[in-house]
Amino acid sequence: MTVNLRSKMFLELKKKETLEQAKDYAFDYLNKALERSPFPSNEAIINLKNFEEPFPKSTGDSKNILEHLNRYGADATVASTGGRYFGFVNGGVLPVSIAARWLADVWDQNSALYVMSPLASKLEEVCESWLKELFGLPDRFVAGFLSGSSMAILCGIAAGRYRIFKNLGWDINTQGFYGAPEIRIVAGRQAHGAVAKAVALLGFGLDRIEWVDTDSQGRILLSELPDLDESTILILQAGHVSSGSFDDFESICAKARSAKSWVHIDGAFGLWAGASAKLKHLTKGIDGGNSFSLDAHKTLNTPYDNGIVLCDDSEALTQAMRTSGSYMVHSENRDGMAYTPEMSRRSRGIELWAAMKYLGRDGIDELVYGLHQRAVQMSEELKAFDFKIVNEVVFNQVLVICDSDIMTNEIIKNIQSSGECWAGGAIWDGKAVIRISICSWVTTEEDISRSARAFVAARSKALSA
Ligand SMILES: *Cc1c(COP(=O)(O)O)cnc(C)c1O
């Protein structure tokens, strides 16, 4: 690096200009996102062509670069931090966790090893302990902090795979799959796509999954559950990604326990129901699970990416994630990488800690229950406008069906182009549905009413087309 380039960057640090500039844009954005159309305008999307330029040969200017990014970038974002974005299960962001994330980004801490960041190690430890308390899990549970539920599901199943093989006298790490005893994978027919992905990545083969039939809400039918045994990994779900439904953990885990099967519970957004006094009944019996996957970036409203794996078998998880290297310095302190597939990792425990410390148990309860209340309000208002709701609104998901698939898809298109709110589609029981996820603390009663009116307008427009 030339002396000139280095001095230029030092100057930017000293004058604070670059970070100040970003801060100003950020404040502007956060306020605008509350009122703006959730999806970018056509003009904003067309303007993205301003990023199509030759790779610069020489050094640029931070001020101009940020200016460019903000001018053409901000308006082309999806305003999922606003109150009327109901697409996917995205979740908003708590101000305190954005701020903590900013600081953490400046600190640029690698949370792989304690010696790389004692702070990151300590806050992971604190989050682990608070999460166990929040969900009423025994002390033997350990947590890994990773990008999201897709990774967390992979870790949970990998830990189960390690443990089951070990119990059968086989070391999967050293002996691999060839000649190994058989492991069965049992999952509900309506499991999230990330489950199948993890199963495929771990080498079991999708065709070997024993799919269990589900009821009208996507819950595993107890009567259809095959006999379980000690070589089975059973995957359950807390929060169906469309209907929001929960498997009957109490009955199913009891069976799995007595059969000595490994139970993984995919609770990406739904597990948080266990943190609400009024919704806790949905997760009753989860303590019968061996591993859990969940996302703080969904229901808890931390920034991306903030996934968590919880596992009751520390040895199985850490053995499944084992790495070695002569330069690695392990100590008696927590080394975050021991619980995840990744080595270098940003310190996502920092913003998770900030969110949990800020909300406390009461605040988390209020946040989670509030999402449910808004979902119930949405379904009631839509029903009053003669929309048909096809799911039991047990948590934060509302599924709307119209007279025909064509009509449903037309209404989705109209909603999405209305600029009033944004909801996506899904297939439910073979038919097209509108899928509404209420996952942001920002969403108010008024946002819901305004959005319900936007549904009515979208239907009128479709009928008159
Ligand atoms: C979102 C989700 C996933 C995938 O989680 P990522 O954080 O996107 O990797 C898995 N299962 C369920 C039920 C989900 O809602």
Side-chain angles (χ1 to χ4, degrees):
M1 186 183 292
T2 61
V3 172
N4 271 349
L5 180 52
R6 182 176 291 119
S7 335
K8 182 171 145 181
M9 290 200 280
F10 268 131
L11 202 65
E12 280 173 15
L13 275 184
K14 288 221 175 81
K15 282 169 67 186
K16 294 199 261 181
E17 267 175 11
T18 313
L19 295 178
E20 287 285 358
Q21 191 187 351
K23 189 177 82 178
D24 289 344
Y25 292 150
F27 286 156
D28 199 36
Y29 180 85
L30 286 171
N31 289 321
K32 265 211 273 198
L34 297 176
E35 265 319 303
R36 211 194 88 177
S37 151
F39 201 78
S41 65
N42 285 337
E43 190 196 350
I45 289 174
I46 290 166
N47 273 335
L48 284 172
K49 69 176 183 311
N50 287 291
F51 289 106
E52 293 168 18
E53 52 182 341
F55 181 24
K57 180 176 178 315
S58 53
T59 315
D61 174 78
S62 301
K63 189 159 185 269
N64 290 341
I65 291 168
L66 286 179
E67 218 273 309
H68 191 85
L69 176 62
N70 188 56
R71 169 170 310 172
Y72 301 113
D75 289 343
T77 58
V78 169
S80 50
T81 56
R84 284 166 286 106
Y85 183 76
F86 309 118
F88 306 93
V89 192
N90 272 6
V93 272
L94 302 168
V96 73
S97 66
I98 306 177
R101 166 76 178 263
W102 279 359
L103 257 186
D105 281 346
V106 169
W107 292 339
D108 196 27
Q109 297 293 282
N110 188 336
S111 59
L113 294 170
Y114 171 82
V115 290
M116 291 177 174
S117 179
L119 168 71
S121 165
K122 176 53 74 185
L123 291 184
E124 283 198 1
E125 219 174 82
V126 172
C127 288
E128 177 185 77
S129 146
W130 287 357
L131 285 164
K132 286 192 276 189
E133 192 184 329
L134 188 66
F135 296 117
L137 298 172
D139 204 42
R140 66 176 179 278
F141 271 82
V142 291
F145 300 93
L146 24 70
S147 56
S149 282
S150 301
M151 259 305 135
I153 293 167
L154 183 89
C155 290
I157 300 178
R161 182 181 74 163
Y162 177 87
R163 174 54 64 214
I164 290 176
F165 273 134
K166 197 75 185 169
N167 289 346
L168 296 172
W170 191 265
D171 183 340
I172 181 70
N173 282 350
T174 54
Q175 293 173 280
F177 258 121
Y178 297 110
E182 283 195 18
I183 286 188
R184 295 167 58 206
I185 304 280
V186 177
R189 208 170 274 292
Q190 301 263 338
H192 191 275
V195 167
K197 180 194 267 191
V199 167
L201 276 171
L202 288 167
F204 289 107
L206 295 181
D207 287 351
R208 302 191 46 121
I209 300 178
E210 298 175 43
W211 295 109
V212 189
D213 283 341
T214 46
D215 69 7
S216 69
Q217 299 299 307
R219 295 175 290 231
I220 284 179
L221 283 165
L222 200 58
S223 57
E224 299 303 308
L225 196 68
D227 281 340
L228 305 171
D229 56 35
E230 69 287 346
S231 60
T232 304
I233 296 176
L234 170 65
I235 300 151
L236 307 179
Q237 181 160 264
H240 182 290
V241 78
S242 289
S243 73
S245 70
F246 293 69
D247 282 327
D248 173 358
F249 305 114
E250 212 172 19
S251 315
I252 302 175
C253 290
K255 286 194 170 197
R257 271 279 137 119
S258 55
K260 299 199 166 62
S261 304
W262 181 280
V263 179
H264 178 81
I265 300 178
D266 171 15
F269 65 95
L271 204 72
W272 298 98
S276 161
K278 293 205 184 78
L279 297 174
K280 218 179 161 62
H281 61 96
L282 294 169
T283 59
K284 194 156 178 236
I286 53 157
D287 49 349
N290 300 94
S291 55
F292 303 87
S293 40
L294 67 160
D295 284 324
H297 58 234
K298 289 180 179 168
T299 318
L300 193 66
N301 283 213
T302 67
Y304 291 101
D305 39 22
N306 210 309
I308 303 159
V309 59
L310 292 163
C311 182
D312 78 342
D313 185 336
S314 174
E315 187 193 50
L317 180 63
T318 54
Q319 283 298 318
M321 302 296 135
R322 198 172 60 181
T323 341
S324 60
S326 60
Y327 61 89
M328 281 195 271
V329 197
H330 293 287
S331 65
E332 68 281 9
N333 296 294
R334 180 188 168 93
D335 292 320
M337 64 174 275
Y339 308 90
T340 77
E342 298 135 10
M343 185 179 286
S344 293
R345 302 174 306 136
R346 67 183 194 85
S347 330
R348 42 177 75 86
I350 296 178
E351 78 246 17
L352 176 59
W353 165 85
M356 293 181 80
K357 182 169 167 65
Y358 177 78
L359 292 172
R361 297 185 63 142
D362 289 349
I364 295 177
D365 188 335
E366 214 176 295
L367 166 68
V368 173
Y369 191 63
L371 303 177
H372 172 62
Q373 285 177 303
R374 299 293 92 74
V376 170
Q377 182 196 343
M378 180 70 101
S379 76
E380 293 305 319
E381 292 198 14
L382 288 175
K383 273 192 271 184
F385 287 130
D386 286 327
F387 279 100
K388 191 167 168 225
I389 310 298
V390 290
N391 68 320
E392 295 167 16
V393 183
V394 294
F395 193 37
N396 67 330
Q397 302 288 111
V398 184
L399 297 180
V400 185
I401 194 162
C402 307
D403 291 340
S404 65
D405 281 6
I406 293 174
M407 194 64 184
T408 302
N409 290 327
E410 194 60 24
I411 293 177
I412 292 175
K413 209 177 74 195
N414 293 342
I415 289 168
Q416 293 181 348
S417 63
S418 71
E420 283 293 289
C421 67
W422 202 95
I427 302 293
W428 187 252
D429 211 6
K431 296 197 183 74
V433 290
I434 311 173
R435 179 165 169 264
I436 305 167
S437 302
I438 318 279
C439 3
S440 175
W441 68 272
V442 165
T443 302
T444 61
E445 284 91 340
E446 178 43 35
D447 282 321
I448 297 290
S449 299
R450 182 169 161 187
S451 302
R453 291 194 298 272
F455 272 63
V456 175
R459 180 176 58 191
S460 304
K461 191 172 164 194
L463 285 169
S464 65

mmCIF file of all heavy atoms in Angstrom, residues 89 147-151 153 192 194 237 239-241 266 268-269 295 297-298, ligand 1:
data_model
loop_
_atom_site.group_PDB
_atom_site.id
_atom_site.type_symbol
_atom_site.label_atom_id
_atom_site.label_comp_id
_atom_site.label_asym_id
_atom_site.label_seq_id
_atom_site.Cartn_x
_atom_site.Cartn_y
_atom_site.Cartn_z
ATOM 1 N N VAL A 89 -40.520 -14.442 6.663
ATOM 2 C CA VAL A 89 -40.597 -14.261 8.120
ATOM 3 C C VAL A 89 -39.355 -13.458 8.477
ATOM 4 O O VAL A 89 -38.419 -13.975 9.077
ATOM 5 C CB VAL A 89 -40.632 -15.605 8.886
ATOM 6 C CG1 VAL A 89 -41.005 -15.388 10.352
ATOM 7 C CG2 VAL A 89 -41.633 -16.564 8.265
ATOM 8 N N SER A 147 -24.929 -18.223 11.427
ATOM 9 C CA SER A 147 -25.612 -17.284 10.533
ATOM 10 C C SER A 147 -27.134 -17.353 10.589
ATOM 11 O O SER A 147 -27.806 -16.347 10.501
ATOM 12 C CB SER A 147 -25.138 -17.512 9.098
ATOM 13 O OG SER A 147 -25.360 -18.856 8.735
ATOM 14 N N GLY A 148 -27.678 -18.543 10.723
ATOM 15 C CA GLY A 148 -29.130 -18.642 10.716
ATOM 16 C C GLY A 148 -29.581 -20.060 10.971
ATOM 17 O O GLY A 148 -28.777 -20.957 11.245
ATOM 18 N N SER A 149 -30.877 -20.266 10.844
ATOM 19 C CA SER A 149 -31.425 -21.586 11.149
ATOM 20 C C SER A 149 -30.955 -22.663 10.184
ATOM 21 O O SER A 149 -30.822 -23.823 10.574
ATOM 22 C CB SER A 149 -32.948 -21.535 11.179
ATOM 23 O OG SER A 149 -33.364 -20.979 12.394
ATOM 24 N N SER A 150 -30.708 -22.292 8.931
ATOM 25 C CA SER A 150 -30.240 -23.328 7.996
ATOM 26 C C SER A 150 -28.979 -23.978 8.552
ATOM 27 O O SER A 150 -28.838 -25.206 8.556
ATOM 28 C CB SER A 150 -29.937 -22.728 6.625
ATOM 29 O OG SER A 150 -31.083 -22.114 6.096
ATOM 30 N N MET A 151 -28.064 -23.142 9.037
ATOM 31 C CA MET A 151 -26.821 -23.636 9.625
ATOM 32 C C MET A 151 -27.087 -24.346 10.964
ATOM 33 O O MET A 151 -26.469 -25.358 11.287
ATOM 34 C CB MET A 151 -25.883 -22.454 9.906
ATOM 35 C CG MET A 151 -24.797 -22.260 8.914
ATOM 36 S SD MET A 151 -23.808 -23.728 8.686
ATOM 37 C CE MET A 151 -23.713 -23.711 6.925
ATOM 38 N N ILE A 153 -29.787 -25.897 11.924
ATOM 39 C CA ILE A 153 -30.414 -27.207 11.704
ATOM 40 C C ILE A 153 -29.315 -28.212 11.329
ATOM 41 O O ILE A 153 -29.263 -29.332 11.846
ATOM 42 C CB ILE A 153 -31.483 -27.122 10.586
ATOM 43 C CG1 ILE A 153 -32.662 -26.254 11.027
ATOM 44 C CG2 ILE A 153 -31.967 -28.515 10.185
ATOM 45 C CD1 ILE A 153 -33.611 -25.848 9.890
ATOM 46 N N HIS A 192 -39.605 -27.526 7.011
ATOM 47 C CA HIS A 192 -39.020 -26.434 6.216
ATOM 48 C C HIS A 192 -37.976 -26.992 5.246
ATOM 49 O O HIS A 192 -37.312 -27.981 5.558
ATOM 50 C CB HIS A 192 -38.363 -25.429 7.166
ATOM 51 C CG HIS A 192 -37.953 -24.153 6.499
ATOM 52 N ND1 HIS A 192 -36.755 -24.007 5.853
ATOM 53 C CD2 HIS A 192 -38.596 -22.969 6.385
ATOM 54 C CE1 HIS A 192 -36.674 -22.769 5.360
ATOM 55 N NE2 HIS A 192 -37.772 -22.119 5.676
ATOM 56 N N ALA A 194 -35.133 -26.081 4.660
ATOM 57 C CA ALA A 194 -33.777 -26.103 5.215
ATOM 58 C C ALA A 194 -33.464 -27.454 5.877
ATOM 59 O O ALA A 194 -32.299 -27.835 6.014
ATOM 60 C CB ALA A 194 -33.605 -24.977 6.234
ATOM 61 N N GLN A 237 -41.016 -29.424 14.447
ATOM 62 C CA GLN A 237 -41.103 -28.029 14.041
ATOM 63 C C GLN A 237 -41.881 -27.178 15.040
ATOM 64 O O GLN A 237 -42.989 -27.516 15.416
ATOM 65 C CB GLN A 237 -41.806 -28.029 12.679
ATOM 66 C CG GLN A 237 -41.990 -26.717 12.030
ATOM 67 C CD GLN A 237 -42.235 -26.886 10.538
ATOM 68 O OE1 GLN A 237 -41.326 -26.788 9.716
ATOM 69 N NE2 GLN A 237 -43.477 -27.178 10.186
ATOM 70 N N GLY A 239 -43.344 -23.771 14.755
ATOM 71 C CA GLY A 239 -43.623 -22.662 13.850
ATOM 72 C C GLY A 239 -43.486 -23.083 12.401
ATOM 73 O O GLY A 239 -42.412 -22.993 11.818
ATOM 74 N N HIS A 240 -44.589 -23.568 11.826
ATOM 75 C CA HIS A 240 -44.603 -23.909 10.396
ATOM 76 C C HIS A 240 -44.469 -22.618 9.611
ATOM 77 O O HIS A 240 -45.138 -21.624 9.906
ATOM 78 C CB HIS A 240 -45.931 -24.608 10.055
ATOM 79 C CG HIS A 240 -46.048 -25.049 8.636
ATOM 80 N ND1 HIS A 240 -46.178 -24.167 7.588
ATOM 81 C CD2 HIS A 240 -46.046 -26.286 8.081
ATOM 82 C CE1 HIS A 240 -46.258 -24.846 6.453
ATOM 83 N NE2 HIS A 240 -46.183 -26.137 6.730
ATOM 84 N N VAL A 241 -43.614 -22.632 8.611
ATOM 85 C CA VAL A 241 -43.250 -21.392 7.929
ATOM 86 C C VAL A 241 -44.432 -20.717 7.219
ATOM 87 O O VAL A 241 -44.398 -19.520 6.975
ATOM 88 C CB VAL A 241 -42.052 -21.650 6.984
ATOM 89 C CG1 VAL A 241 -42.506 -22.334 5.702
ATOM 90 C CG2 VAL A 241 -41.283 -20.376 6.716
ATOM 91 N N ASP A 266 -36.835 -27.624 14.878
ATOM 92 C CA ASP A 266 -36.620 -26.433 14.057
ATOM 93 C C ASP A 266 -37.617 -25.383 14.547
ATOM 94 O O ASP A 266 -38.799 -25.456 14.265
ATOM 95 C CB ASP A 266 -36.861 -26.781 12.579
ATOM 96 C CG ASP A 266 -36.880 -25.540 11.684
ATOM 97 O OD1 ASP A 266 -36.440 -24.462 12.144
ATOM 98 O OD2 ASP A 266 -37.325 -25.659 10.527
ATOM 99 N N ALA A 268 -37.129 -21.897 14.153
ATOM 100 C CA ALA A 268 -36.513 -20.667 13.627
ATOM 101 C C ALA A 268 -37.162 -19.397 14.168
ATOM 102 O O ALA A 268 -36.500 -18.564 14.763
ATOM 103 C CB ALA A 268 -36.558 -20.693 12.100
ATOM 104 N N PHE A 269 -38.482 -19.279 13.973
ATOM 105 C CA PHE A 269 -39.146 -18.093 14.529
ATOM 106 C C PHE A 269 -40.096 -18.478 15.658
ATOM 107 O O PHE A 269 -40.354 -17.707 16.562
ATOM 108 C CB PHE A 269 -39.905 -17.332 13.421
ATOM 109 C CG PHE A 269 -41.050 -18.110 12.813
ATOM 110 C CD1 PHE A 269 -42.339 -17.942 13.283
ATOM 111 C CD2 PHE A 269 -40.840 -19.020 11.781
ATOM 112 C CE1 PHE A 269 -43.395 -18.657 12.733
ATOM 113 C CE2 PHE A 269 -41.891 -19.738 11.223
ATOM 114 C CZ PHE A 269 -43.168 -19.556 11.710
ATOM 115 N N ASP A 295 -33.744 -18.400 15.244
ATOM 116 C CA ASP A 295 -33.165 -17.179 14.692
ATOM 117 C C ASP A 295 -33.521 -15.981 15.550
ATOM 118 O O ASP A 295 -34.693 -15.682 15.745
ATOM 119 C CB ASP A 295 -33.720 -16.923 13.278
ATOM 120 C CG ASP A 295 -33.112 -17.825 12.227
ATOM 121 O OD1 ASP A 295 -31.912 -18.134 12.343
ATOM 122 O OD2 ASP A 295 -33.832 -18.207 11.287
ATOM 123 N N HIS A 297 -32.648 -13.127 14.372
ATOM 124 C CA HIS A 297 -32.960 -12.116 13.359
ATOM 125 C C HIS A 297 -34.416 -12.160 12.915
ATOM 126 O O HIS A 297 -34.875 -11.293 12.197
ATOM 127 C CB HIS A 297 -32.012 -12.190 12.156
ATOM 128 C CG HIS A 297 -31.973 -13.507 11.437
ATOM 129 N ND1 HIS A 297 -30.808 -14.192 11.218
ATOM 130 C CD2 HIS A 297 -32.942 -14.267 10.879
ATOM 131 C CE1 HIS A 297 -31.065 -15.308 10.543
ATOM 132 N NE2 HIS A 297 -32.347 -15.366 10.330
ATOM 133 N N LYS A 298 -35.137 -13.191 13.320
ATOM 134 C CA LYS A 298 -36.568 -13.216 13.010
ATOM 135 C C LYS A 298 -37.320 -12.600 14.192
ATOM 136 O O LYS A 298 -37.357 -11.400 14.342
ATOM 137 C CB LYS A 298 -37.020 -14.635 12.693
ATOM 138 C CG LYS A 298 -36.484 -15.120 11.351
ATOM 139 C CD LYS A 298 -36.904 -16.537 11.000
ATOM 140 C CE LYS A 298 -36.353 -16.929 9.630
ATOM 141 N NZ LYS A 298 -36.493 -18.383 9.392
HETATM 142 C C1 LIG B 1 -36.438 -19.119 8.232
HETATM 143 C C2 LIG B 1 -36.586 -20.550 8.561
HETATM 144 C C3 LIG B 1 -35.544 -21.457 8.350
HETATM 145 C C4 LIG B 1 -34.250 -21.032 7.692
HETATM 146 O O1 LIG B 1 -33.605 -20.103 8.502
HETATM 147 P P1 LIG B 1 -32.481 -19.123 7.957
HETATM 148 O O2 LIG B 1 -32.170 -18.268 9.150
HETATM 149 O O3 LIG B 1 -33.129 -18.345 6.843
HETATM 150 O O4 LIG B 1 -31.349 -19.925 7.502
HETATM 151 C C5 LIG B 1 -35.737 -22.759 8.750
HETATM 152 N N1 LIG B 1 -36.887 -23.160 9.311
HETATM 153 C C6 LIG B 1 -37.929 -22.320 9.512
HETATM 154 C C7 LIG B 1 -39.180 -22.832 10.141
HETATM 155 C C8 LIG B 1 -37.812 -20.975 9.136
HETATM 156 O O5 LIG B 1 -38.832 -20.140 9.339
#
